Amino acid sequence: MVLLIAAGVLAYLFFSQRDTGSSDVLGETAESSARAACTLIAQVPEDGFDMSAENNFPEVDRLAAAEALAYLAKDQDDQYAGLYTAIAEPRQVSVAMFAADTPEFAESLARANDACAEIAD
């Protein structure tokens, strides 16, 4: 499922109209990819969520899409490698523990948000 979401995000970025004259087009620059990833990661509840609840699939999707966008940013510019690592961690923790309402998840999410705060400066 994660690969399907990532493929969808990347396909959208690849096929979206790029001739807009704006550098704010999602995925056109490493910065726009990084900012989009951070926007998604900021929407994940700080205290986590119950992964087994049927209505929490959007949270799982946000984590996966944020990771895919952060990877794109890293691929476009190596300066975003640390951001990718930080943003990938919450999804990896949640998958490893099959839980996103643990202290480990909250700590990894805080690190991701901290990394995003650094690029905003």
Side-chain angles (χ1 to χ4, degrees):
M1 177 160 185
V2 172
L3 291 176
L4 179 63
I5 294 165
V9 168
L10 294 175
Y12 169 78
L13 294 173
F14 183 76
F15 291 111
S16 67
Q17 182 176 348
R18 297 173 61 95
D19 188 23
T20 65
S22 169
S23 64
D24 292 339
V25 174
L26 178 63
E28 186 170 327
T29 65
E31 182 181 2
S32 68
S33 301
R35 289 190 185 284
C38 288
T39 297
L40 286 172
I41 210 74
Q43 295 172 5
V44 177
E46 289 180 19
D47 57 350
F49 57 94
D50 179 2
M51 286 182 65
S52 65
E54 188 173 315
N55 62 342
N56 277 324
F57 285 118
E59 302 305 334
V60 173
D61 293 343
R62 277 188 189 92
L63 290 172
E67 183 177 0
L69 286 164
Y71 185 83
L72 178 60
K74 176 188 79 77
D75 207 31
Q76 292 170 311
D77 186 336
D78 284 339
Q79 86 174 27
Y80 293 101
L83 178 72
Y84 166 69
T85 300
I87 286 182
E89 187 182 3
R91 190 197 61 78
Q92 293 167 354
V93 167
S94 67
V95 168
M97 302 181 81
F98 199 73
D101 54 0
T102 64
E104 294 85 1
F105 178 82
E107 291 168 8
S108 67
L109 186 61
R111 284 190 290 276
N113 283 310
D114 288 347
C116 286
E118 288 180 20
I119 69 158
D121 295 337

